Amino acid sequence: MVADTNVLASRACNAVRRGRNEELFSGLAGNGRSNIYVSAHVPEELVEHLPAIAASNDVPVSEASGVLWNEIMPGVPVVDLAIRDYLSPRVRTMLCIDRELPRRLRGDPDDIGTTALAELLAPAVILSSDSVFTRLGFANTDAATWVGLAYGLLRAAGFEARLGDAALLAELTARTVAAAGGAAVRAIGSYPVPAIGLLAGAVVLAGRFGYLDPARWREGWHRFREAMEPLRDGLTVALEEHQAARGALRVIEPAGRPTVEQAAARHLARRRAALTPRELRDELSMSGFTASGAELRRGMLSHSAFSRRPGDRFELGRCSVSMLDCVEG
């Protein structure tokens, strides 16, 4: 997700007004499935515009600033862009401000950084209170609905987490059963006589205690289906809600084959981890993008969106600068 200045500042003011911690953006940033990024111009705009936004929300600017810089922004990396990131045809529409054009076709140069970042990380959702993204088709939100969209993202991430955990549990169970079955088959092959004796004894005991009775098996199966009914219904509802939440999100889709920098940025944005060029090469190859480690390294070194860490590891973006740094800068 790519957020703009007004959304972040408004959310900080909302937390102050309600007298509680900010949970929406911190939840999105903390779940690992809906990572938030901002363009490099946003921190400076936050310092410039937060006093006016706080005044319009009737909250102390010092308290709003504390929520913004201590709760929200530490989990939101800042991504610096290169000149070439602004040259995409879709991004350049933000520069069309000819007054002779209908308003729905006019852009806003102040938002070009957010648009360029969304294009770099596509597919990405722009979360903004500015109608220019709606007018130009970059997002389906406006000032009245962006909070609902953000909660939709949070719900979708939560559904994906639960479904992902369930899939992992099912896979582990299947592997355990397969391993146990394989071990049993190998044991029978190695010791056939004792295995036949144990099997015969088990059949005799099962018959004595009534476990071979067909009526008992039918009753047990009926009880099992009744016990599983709530779980099946719950899974069906969760899947339907998940599809509804995902279907409500309109994103900037990638166009054409990505450049080396775009492929690296998009993968690192979703991994939210620092990788070496070789690790990145191997992970990208699994998704069908082919580039050598040397190409990826050159691309990331030449692009300001990436930060280099010890061990020749690269990650997307940098930590948010503090408000004092912004002011002094």
Side-chain angles (χ1 to χ4, degrees), residues 236-255:
T236 301
V237 171
L239 286 170
E240 290 175 352
E241 291 180 347
H242 174 256
Q243 292 300 323
R246 289 292 296 270
L249 306 179
R250 187 176 302 164
V251 301
I252 290 186
E253 295 288 351

Side-chain angles (χ1 to χ4, degrees), residues 268-305:
L268 291 176
R270 285 148 184 81
R271 285 281 272 110
R272 197 69 177 265
L275 301 176
T276 66
R278 288 186 177 182
E279 292 171 338
L280 183 58
R281 175 201 64 193
D282 295 340
E283 294 188 11
L284 284 174
S285 66
M286 291 188 289
S287 62
F289 185 86
T290 303
S292 67
E295 289 177 310
L296 291 167
R297 189 174 187 276
R298 285 196 300 271
M300 290 187 290
L301 284 174
S302 65
H303 198 291
S304 55

Side-chain angles (χ1 to χ4, degrees), residues 17-180:
R17 191 168 55 249
R18 297 171 62 190
R20 62 178 65 177
N21 293 335
E22 200 287 322
E23 82 286 350
L24 181 54
F25 282 116
S26 56
L28 286 167
N31 61 38
R33 286 176 164 82
S34 294
N35 297 326
I36 311 170
Y37 294 90
V38 295
S39 179
H41 73 282
V42 168
E44 295 181 6
E45 282 193 350
L46 285 170
V47 175
E48 179 181 355
H49 298 302
L50 184 60
I53 296 174
S56 66
N57 284 270
D58 196 25
V59 299
V61 65
S62 59
E63 295 183 22
S65 179
V67 171
L68 179 65
W69 297 105
N70 296 327
E71 297 182 26
I72 299 177
M73 295 305 292
V76 181
V78 175
V79 180
D80 297 296
L81 298 172
I83 294 298
R84 57 183 176 272
D85 296 319
Y86 298 94
L87 301 181
S88 163
R90 290 194 293 183
V91 176
R92 288 203 300 268
T93 58
M94 277 291 175
L95 297 177
C96 297
I97 57 174
D98 189 343
R99 293 296 177 181
E100 295 183 0
L101 290 173
R103 184 173 182 272
R104 61 183 177 84
L105 299 179
R106 291 202 299 264
D108 186 347
D110 291 341
D111 293 307
I112 191 172
T114 297
T115 310
L117 179 56
E119 174 82 1
L120 177 68
L121 303 184
V125 175
I126 294 180
L127 199 58
S128 171
S129 59
D130 196 325
S131 64
V132 67
F133 298 106
T134 308
R135 297 199 309 269
L136 297 182
F138 287 110
N140 64 341
T141 63
D142 54 33
T145 62
W146 68 265
V147 173
L149 180 69
Y151 276 114
L153 275 168
L154 195 56
R155 287 196 301 273
F159 295 142
E160 288 180 352
R162 290 197 295 273
L163 293 173
D165 293 342
L168 177 60
L169 179 61
E171 181 182 356
L172 292 175
T173 302
R175 289 187 179 185
T176 302
V177 171

Side-chain angles (χ1 to χ4, degrees), residues 201-284:
V203 170
V204 170
L205 289 174
R208 180 172 297 179
F209 288 101
Y211 287 107
L212 298 182
D213 184 3
R216 184 167 182 173
W217 277 94
R218 285 193 296 270
E219 181 183 358
W221 174 247
H222 180 69
R223 290 180 178 177
F224 176 77
R225 290 183 61 184
E226 287 182 344
M228 293 299 295
E229 193 75 21
L231 296 178
R232 187 187 67 181
D233 292 343
L235 180 60
T236 301
V237 171
L239 286 170
E240 290 175 352
E241 291 180 347
H242 174 256
Q243 292 300 323
R246 289 292 296 270
L249 306 179
R250 187 176 302 164
V251 301
I252 290 186
E253 295 288 351
R257 178 176 171 79
T259 64
V260 169
E261 294 85 355
Q262 286 177 331
R266 292 167 184 178
H267 188 77
L268 291 176
R270 285 148 184 81
R271 285 281 272 110
R272 197 69 177 265
L275 301 176
T276 66
R278 288 186 177 182
E279 292 171 338
L280 183 58
R281 175 201 64 193
D282 295 340
E283 294 188 11
L284 284 174

